[in-house]
Amino acid sequence: MPRLSRVVAFSIASLAAAGAAAADPPAAPAPAKPKQAVIISFDSARDISQWKRSRALAARTGAHFTYFVSCVFLLSPETRKEYTAPRKTSGKSNIGFAASKQEVADRLEQINLAASEGHDIGSHGCGHFDGKDWSKADWLSEFGSFSRILETAYSINGIAPEPTGWREIARNAVGFRAPYLSTNKALYEALPKAGYLFDASGVSKGPARPATSNGITHFSLPQIPEGPDRRRVIAMDYNLYVRHTGGFERPSKADEFAYRTYDAFRAAFDAQYQGKRIPLELGFHFTLMNDGAYWNALERFAGEVCTKPDVECISYRDFVLRQRAGEKQASVGG
């Protein structure tokens, strides 16, 4: 009897263990989160020292930026009439032109260096006009001017030698941001016709995943909470400048504005980094508003987040190309 009892007890224990194993299989490992994407861009891209400063920031942090270039800054006073804006006479621009042939040469050098370092050169149009009332033909005219002037800037301005591969850089300008973020239906009809792949002219309530329609991937600068009352503001330096000082300089408060800006960027980043990891887009200009407060905030922010192993500070173009390559692979793979 004692032996039988031991057998029965062993069998019950074995069955219980087997039942527990069947009922509770090992938990599958949690899927790894994607890297947090941060997309930093610069509009117009005029000042040479800011080209150098942004490239140095990229070198320190491993970031790749998008530069939305205004093509009038590739024309000198002598060559300004190479540009004719829609519904304007030649040589007109809302933001002027380069000051000299030498300035054009210096800017072309910076564009070439940035492209060779893996940055994205995009289009901000040419004369920084508000195109909300433009027709599809008007937009196509502006896009045509941008492409022609960028591609032939060396010959237009009589600058030699033209670097090997320069025209390929021009042909790789496949993204656009509208001046003033001002868009209309005709723009979105013209973009695919002109060969663009993405548009970054939108605004969203918060970080939003880009959507693709009619061959164009649409990005939006988010409105993010900022300041003591956490009111939302478009995540772009100019909008912060207007929020803080109404568009007037107050250099005595630059440190305060830099901290407020950094704090807003970091909070918006942390919300995505700890959450759904929707790409965070931030927009800048080369103008040092409020004594450089917004650039100081950018450098602090990028230095902290772009160096994280699970974060990538990536250009718009590279984000789009990778996204489309992944979709194509998934389609081919069934």
Side-chain angles (χ1 to χ4, degrees), residues 144-179:
S145 292
F146 177 87
S147 297
R148 179 182 64 82
I149 292 168
L150 180 61
E151 187 168 341
T152 61
Y154 279 89
S155 60
I156 285 173
N157 290 283
I159 299 168
E162 179 182 298
T164 301
W166 172 260
R167 302 199 179 211
E168 187 65 24
I169 292 171
R171 288 190 284 270
N172 280 334
V174 293
F176 177 71
R177 174 172 286 152

Side-chain angles (χ1 to χ4, degrees), residues 189-214:
E189 293 172 348
L191 282 167
K193 178 75 172 176
Y196 286 94
L197 297 182
F198 71 87
D199 171 75
S201 307
V203 174
S204 54
K205 184 175 181 180
R209 297 192 188 279
T212 300
S213 61
N214 198 25

Side-chain angles (χ1 to χ4, degrees), residues 217-255:
T217 300
H218 300 272
F219 292 91
S220 298
L221 286 167
Q223 298 176 73
I224 60 174
E226 187 276 337
D229 57 4
R230 311 310 287 167
R231 284 191 300 132
R232 290 184 178 271
V233 63
I234 296 173
M236 178 174 260
D237 56 358
Y238 178 75
N239 300 82
L240 288 156
Y241 180 50
V242 172
R243 160 72 61 85
H244 293 158
T245 58
F248 295 95
E249 287 294 314
R250 291 188 66 185
S252 63
K253 302 196 75 175
D255 289 346

Side-chain angles (χ1 to χ4, degrees), residues 153-324:
Y154 279 89
S155 60
I156 285 173
N157 290 283
I159 299 168
E162 179 182 298
T164 301
W166 172 260
R167 302 199 179 211
E168 187 65 24
I169 292 171
R171 288 190 284 270
N172 280 334
V174 293
F176 177 71
R177 174 172 286 152
Y180 311 106
L181 304 179
S182 183
T183 65
N184 62 5
K185 181 181 178 182
L187 167 65
Y188 295 110
E189 293 172 348
L191 282 167
K193 178 75 172 176
Y196 286 94
L197 297 182
F198 71 87
D199 171 75
S201 307
V203 174
S204 54
K205 184 175 181 180
R209 297 192 188 279
T212 300
S213 61
N214 198 25
I216 301 297
T217 300
H218 300 272
F219 292 91
S220 298
L221 286 167
Q223 298 176 73
I224 60 174
E226 187 276 337
D229 57 4
R230 311 310 287 167
R231 284 191 300 132
R232 290 184 178 271
V233 63
I234 296 173
M236 178 174 260
D237 56 358
Y238 178 75
N239 300 82
L240 288 156
Y241 180 50
V242 172
R243 160 72 61 85
H244 293 158
T245 58
F248 295 95
E249 287 294 314
R250 291 188 66 185
S252 63
K253 302 196 75 175
D255 289 346
E256 175 190 332
F257 299 144
Y259 179 80
R260 280 179 55 168
T261 300
Y262 162 80
D263 186 57
F265 290 168
R266 189 62 202 245
F269 169 84
D270 288 343
Q272 294 310 318
Y273 185 67
Q274 297 163 8
K276 297 180 179 179
R277 298 213 167 175
I278 297 171
L280 176 65
E281 303 172 43
L282 304 175
F284 295 85
H285 297 76
F286 277 8
T287 307
L288 294 177
M289 305 168 214
N290 275 329
D291 201 30
Y294 310 106
W295 269 72
N296 292 338
L298 166 64
E299 288 176 322
R300 179 182 174 189
F301 172 80
E304 289 180 1
V305 308
C306 294
T307 54
K308 290 179 177 290
D310 53 352
V311 173
E312 55 182 353
C313 290
I314 188 172
S315 71
Y316 279 113
R317 181 191 62 207
D318 287 352
F319 186 95
V320 169
L321 293 178
R322 188 181 61 190
Q323 182 185 56
R324 295 191 182 195

Side-chain angles (χ1 to χ4, degrees), residues 26-105:
K33 279 189 171 184
K35 285 189 174 185
Q36 174 65 50
V38 178
I39 307 176
I40 297 169
S41 58
F42 303 97
D43 290 4
S44 290
R46 178 172 190 168
D47 192 86
I48 304 301
S49 64
Q50 294 300 96
W51 271 103
K52 294 176 180 178
R53 184 176 175 180
S54 64
R55 290 177 44 241
L57 175 61
R60 291 196 303 273
T61 61
H64 286 126
F65 302 137
T66 294
Y67 297 90
F68 291 110
V69 174
S70 295
C71 85
V72 290
F73 297 140
L74 304 181
L75 297 174
S76 69
E78 294 76 25
T79 59
R80 61 186 293 170
K81 290 196 173 181
E82 288 285 338
Y83 169 60
T84 302
R87 310 181 190 185
K88 306 284 184 183
T89 56
S90 64
K92 301 292 185 183
S93 164
N94 256 0
I95 50 175
F97 294 83
S100 65
K101 176 179 175 178
Q102 184 59 53
E103 185 190 306
V104 173

